[in-house]
Amino acid sequence: MLFRRLAFLCLLVLIQIVVCAEDYYKVLGVEKQATEKQLKSAYRQLSKRFHPDKNPGDETAHEKFVQVSEAYDILSDAETRQIYDRYGHDGVKQHKNGGGGGGGHDPFDLFSRFFGGHGHFGSSSREPRGQNLEVKVEIALRDFYNGATTEFQWNRQQICETCEGTGSADGQVETCSTCGGHGIRIVKQQLAPGMFQQMQMRCDACGGRGKSIKHKCPVCNGQRVERKPTTVTLKIQRGAGRESSVVYENEADESPDWVAGDLIVILTEKAPSPEDNPDNVDGVYFRRKGDDLYWTEVLSLREAWMGGWSRNITHLDSHVVRLGRTRGQVIQSGHVETVPGEGMPKWHEEGESAYHKHDFGNLYVTYQVILPDQMDETMENEFWSLWEKWRANKGVDLHTDSGRPAIVRDEL
């Protein structure tokens, strides 16, 4: 009887452990088939979101930060990930206890390998912060209008993954014998007999680091960092302004000596081209000014004079804007027509949601009349006769009406 009770209690404890041990993939919010790139992206976002420096006094956020770090620490290693996929948490625990890995992980150390510094956000004077970097990315007007998700690459300075930022091939880093680990040394220079000047200079033996390396890392050559092409996923909000910016916290150049600064992406508008317009959308050639759009529509002399025409303009999202005039409606060259609500969506931080609907600017259409550059003799005679007839009945003499001096002809 006692044995049964003990077995039952052990079973309850085991069930509780299994329940409490949350799935590492769920912790990172990724699928079991997630790639290394997807794992890194998930860790970067979640570790910054739940970092204790950003959530002071919040124990829940601190626990979440530790969970995220532990999940990535296991899944980012191919061997431990394979063990976890086959045997779960117990398999990983036995693997570590059997000497297959370290006894534990430091979430702040893991964070520092991604963002530099010492695992914190550089809020104190002891944590220097790297410079912010600006990158300009060209975006088509169509993507400003509809919103889009795209990617771009840039060469980012990253902490060397091979040596984990030590610069050493074997992990051995020693105190510099020249400067004694201070990174600086005092140089005495004689100015005159009996006169000396002392100068403080950066130690050239260790480059000011205070550390020396016997066996340099073959990947970074002892520099502790390397430049690698980095892919950034860029989400353009619908209606985002030209020259607006998207900020990626702590995604600038990394270094073991500082906390990475911010990567600031400036959105610039790409010039329209047929190559970027496979669907032949007219709106690609709109011109933008703030929340309004501009378009020039060309009319023939007959259309401008007689009316009786219509046009379908395909907008940036392929919906149709109808332009036209009934017969007898005249349009002057240079006339600007306002089409309300057919401009750019006005940016809002909530986007299109149940709580917010986009308002739109206006579309301004300028009409340009193209006159025929030549006429055959018959056509010229017919038009001349017609206009002379109507000018005699209802025409206005523009020269007389202007009040300008009469034209004096010289006679020979």
Side-chain angles (χ1 to χ4, degrees), residues 311-355:
R311 297 276 200 284
N312 285 337
I313 299 177
T314 51
H315 213 293
L316 289 158
D317 60 353
S318 297
H319 80 270
V320 173
V321 178
R322 177 68 63 86
L323 302 176
R325 292 293 187 274
T326 60
R327 184 169 175 176
Q329 285 188 301
V330 178
I331 292 184
Q332 301 290 341
S333 185
H335 172 72
V336 179
E337 178 181 354
T338 302
V339 186
E342 291 293 353
M344 290 291 294
K346 297 180 180 179
W347 180 85
H348 193 277
E349 59 184 358
E350 293 182 2
E352 189 84 8
S353 66
Y355 306 99

Side-chain angles (χ1 to χ4, degrees), residues 178 183 185 201-208:
T178 303
R185 59 192 183 94
M201 300 179 62
R202 188 179 72 166
C203 177
D204 51 5
C206 65

Side-chain angles (χ1 to χ4, degrees), residues 259-322:
V259 176
D262 297 338
L263 174 65
I264 303 172
V265 180
I266 308 297
L267 305 179
T268 63
E269 188 176 321
K270 184 190 298 185
S273 66
E275 292 76 17
D276 295 329
N277 189 24
D279 300 328
N280 294 319
V281 176
D282 297 317
V284 168
Y285 299 99
F286 285 162
R287 301 175 303 282
R288 180 185 184 184
K289 185 176 181 180
D291 294 326
D292 298 321
L293 293 172
Y294 293 80
W295 174 258
T296 299
E297 185 65 24
V298 175
L299 299 179
S300 67
L301 176 61
R302 181 193 65 80
E303 290 173 327
W305 185 27
M306 300 297 297
W309 61 271
S310 63
R311 297 276 200 284
N312 285 337
I313 299 177
T314 51
H315 213 293
L316 289 158
D317 60 353
S318 297
H319 80 270
V320 173
V321 178
R322 177 68 63 86

Side-chain angles (χ1 to χ4, degrees), residues 71 231 243:
T231 301
E243 301 298 325

Side-chain angles (χ1 to χ4, degrees), residues 43-75:
Y43 172 75
R44 287 179 184 277
Q45 295 177 18
L46 293 174
S47 61
K48 288 190 294 184
R49 177 181 175 186
F50 296 110
H51 197 287
D53 286 356
K54 289 196 171 184
N55 303 275
D58 189 340
E59 288 298 324
T60 303
H62 184 272
E63 292 174 5
K64 192 70 176 177
F65 175 73
V66 174
Q67 289 177 4
V68 167
S69 300
E70 182 181 356
Y72 180 75
D73 188 47
I74 297 301
L75 298 181

